[in-house]
Amino acid sequence: GDSVTQMEGPVTLSEEAFLTINCTYTATGYPSLFWYVQYPGEGLQLLLKATKADDKGSNKGFEATYRKETTSFHLEKGSVQVSDSAVYFCALTRPSGSARQLTFGSGTQLTVLP
Amino acid sequence: NAGVTQTPKFRVLKTGQSMTLLCAQDMNHEYMYWYRQDPGLGLRLIHYSVGEGTTAKGEVPDGYNVSRLKKQNFLLGLESAAPSQTSVYFCASSYSSPRGNTIYFGEGSWLTVV
């Protein structure tokens, strides 16, 4: 079945540090890939997405590139801020026309210190 | 700007009690979902619906029932609560399949079963 594997947290960084959160997936065909962010006490929000190989999703300074050859979708940001402290989830949907579900990774807690 | 609204936000139940979580969306979305979030496991799909009057099982449906009598509402029921159902529950909705459409999440409902 489909699966998403994220690097385990928690991750603690100083403000302005470079961020990478690794995400790899297992799925047949060409799934769509997503990063969601969950701020404390809130629901998940879509951060960025990519729907085909070599696509780059970007938003709020975050980027992730859909790498079919390595089945990866790593999240990066060049300079993190305290306000980026949150839990980040990698997710995918199946490529078939009947895709109705998101498969989530276990989440990575990020804390950014001033 | 209501989006997806869940009630109640917090609840404590005794083992064996029943309760219903209500989810309402005002975006005219066809698809609605119930997830549970547990530490280290990410989000897991309990049940989902692709339209009014339809429901389907997700990854972890046992112990839960759902109904979608109105397009805007999706109810999650626990008939006989168990401590293993202590979790944070998230409702979500999307216009259509999540492959190409953003999923919008509610803010969560914290349930403790003692």
Side-chain angles (χ1 to χ4, degrees):
Chain A
D2 302 337
S3 67
V4 176
T5 303
Q6 289 181 235
M7 66 182 287
E8 292 194 12
V11 175
T12 303
L13 296 173
S14 297
E15 206 165 24
E16 299 184 2
F18 184 86
L19 169 70
T20 299
I21 300 178
N22 290 337
C23 171
T24 57
Y25 67 90
T26 301
T28 55
Y30 294 86
S32 291
L33 301 173
F34 306 82
W35 276 101
Y36 279 81
V37 59
Q38 183 182 29
Y39 298 104
E42 298 184 11
L44 279 72
Q45 304 171 27
L46 179 64
L47 181 59
L48 53 84
K49 67 180 181 182
T51 58
K52 61 182 187 294
D54 299 325
D55 266 2
K56 177 185 284 188
S58 62
N59 186 25
K60 299 181 181 180
F62 291 89
E63 293 183 339
T65 301
Y66 189 142
R67 300 289 187 197
K68 179 68 175 174
E69 63 278 11
T70 55
T71 62
S72 64
F73 193 55
H74 304 322
L75 182 68
E76 297 181 336
K77 187 175 185 182
S79 177
V80 293
Q81 305 301 311
V82 172
S83 58
D84 294 327
S85 297
V87 181
Y88 293 81
F89 292 91
C90 186
L92 67 81
T93 60
R94 297 172 190 160
S96 68
S98 61
R100 293 168 181 171
Q101 302 176 18
L102 282 178
T103 299
F104 285 90
S106 58
T108 301
Q109 172 79 53
L110 170 66
T111 301
V112 180
L113 303 176
Chain B
N1 259 9
V4 179
T5 304
Q6 296 179 225
T7 53
K9 197 170 181 67
F10 300 96
R11 184 75 187 268
V12 178
L13 282 179
K14 293 183 179 179
T15 299
Q17 286 185 319
S18 63
M19 76 159 294
T20 300
L21 295 174
L22 171 64
C23 177
Q25 52 93 5
D26 62 0
M27 296 173 282
N28 201 34
H29 285 169
E30 291 292 335
Y31 286 52
M32 296 188 74
Y33 317 80
W34 275 107
Y35 288 89
R36 60 177 289 172
Q37 183 181 27
D38 301 291
L41 297 177
L43 272 76
R44 294 178 293 169
L45 184 67
I46 304 171
H47 287 280
Y48 64 97
S49 167
V50 300
E52 181 179 318
T54 74
T55 63
K57 294 180 180 180
E59 183 183 355
V60 288
D62 294 342
Y64 305 94
N65 56 75
V66 289
S67 63
R68 184 99 181 268
L69 299 180
K70 294 183 178 181
K71 185 177 183 179
Q72 64 267 34
N73 295 337
F74 195 32
L75 279 62
L76 177 72
L78 286 71
E79 290 187 347
S80 180
S84 61
Q85 294 178 303
T86 294
S87 187
V88 184
Y89 291 86
F90 286 97
C91 178
S93 71
S94 62
Y95 179 73
S96 182
S97 164
R99 175 169 174 79
N101 293 277
T102 299
I103 290 187
Y104 295 85
F105 284 82
E107 293 185 345
S109 296
W110 275 254
L111 175 65
T112 300
V113 182
V114 297

